[in-house]
Amino acid sequence: MDYEEGLIMDRPDTDKALHALGLMVREAAGTDRALAMIAEELCGGQYGRLLIAGESTSRVIKVCNELVDAHDDISKTLKSALKVLTKESESLFRVRHRYVHGSWAVDGTTSEPQLMLTKRFQAHPNFEKFSIAELHELAAKFNLMHDRLMDWLLQICSPGYQAGDLLKAREEQLRNLRGGN
């Protein structure tokens, strides 16, 4: 038996689901890297990377929040802005974790794939909707979050940078890719 023949989800939408999952994971990794870059910058030294190397995204977010609070040279407005971004990032990563750590399964009530999720001290798994559309939407949200985090980073480490310039440049780039619409 070939590997592909043994897949549990050998339905026509499997390729679409795997593609959407991969796209979302790639975009989440970009957001994770942007958070790591912020933590490294806030450490202010060449060894800042050691503080977060190998840590989970939730730990990196916690480090970002702790470090930004310790900076007297960052405005309250920018500190608050980072706290909003990290909180929104945490929400996105919670949804990501459902897809990455949940098993694809069918519980018998439907023939559609679902996520089978288990939680601590829970005897039976929960079954939740598996949504290709949600994966695409989540990928887009991670892509935008990456740009928002990088915009924040540029505000603190690039003198003369105007807030939103990166986002405007990305919007222009997308318009050009779509044919100027």
Side-chain angles (χ1 to χ4, degrees):
M1 174 186 329
D2 286 347
Y3 171 75
E4 289 182 12
E5 289 176 16
L7 288 177
I8 293 171
M9 285 185 54
D10 60 351
R11 292 174 171 77
D13 286 344
T14 299
D15 287 345
K16 291 178 185 175
L18 290 173
H19 179 269
L21 180 66
L23 178 64
M24 183 275 295
V25 167
R26 185 188 71 192
E27 296 300 333
T31 298
D32 184 59
R33 183 67 198 128
L35 288 162
M37 291 171 68
I38 289 171
E40 291 169 15
E41 181 65 29
L42 291 172
C43 283
Q46 63 180 349
Y47 302 110
R49 183 172 298 128
L50 295 174
L51 184 62
I52 56 162
E55 294 290 346
S56 66
T57 303
S58 58
R59 172 77 174 131
V60 173
I61 287 171
K62 183 176 181 177
V63 167
C64 286
N65 288 331
E66 295 294 328
L67 287 172
V68 79
D69 283 342
H71 272 269
D72 294 333
D73 58 329
I74 296 177
S75 72
K76 287 182 181 180
T77 302
L78 280 174
K79 287 181 181 186
S80 294
L82 181 60
K83 298 283 180 95
V84 167
L85 292 172
T86 58
K87 187 173 184 173
E88 290 175 14
S89 293
E90 283 178 320
S91 295
L92 292 175
F93 278 101
R94 268 194 297 281
V95 177
R96 173 213 171 268
H97 295 335
R98 283 183 29 240
Y99 283 102
V100 172
H101 301 292
S103 296
W104 294 359
V106 176
D107 73 352
T109 61
T110 177
S111 63
E112 296 301 312
Q114 299 177 2
L115 291 170
M116 184 177 77
L117 304 165
T118 58
K119 295 182 182 175
R120 286 186 199 137
F121 306 112
Q122 183 176 320
H124 302 288
N126 288 332
F127 290 88
E128 294 182 11
K129 180 176 84 168
F130 183 98
S131 170
I132 293 173
E134 183 180 46
L135 284 169
H136 282 287
E137 182 181 330
L138 189 57
K141 287 179 179 179
F142 271 120
N143 184 280
L144 178 58
M145 180 56 66
H146 169 269
D147 289 352
R148 291 172 63 202
L149 289 164
M150 294 305 293
D151 186 69
W152 187 92
L153 181 59
L154 287 167
Q155 289 178 67
I156 66 160
C157 66
S158 296
Y161 177 81
Q162 295 295 311
D165 281 353
L166 175 69
L167 300 172
K168 290 174 195 166
R170 290 274 284 150
E171 287 174 6
E172 180 66 26
Q173 188 180 39
L174 287 173
R175 262 193 306 281
N176 290 338
L177 287 172
R178 292 180 183 137
N181 294 332

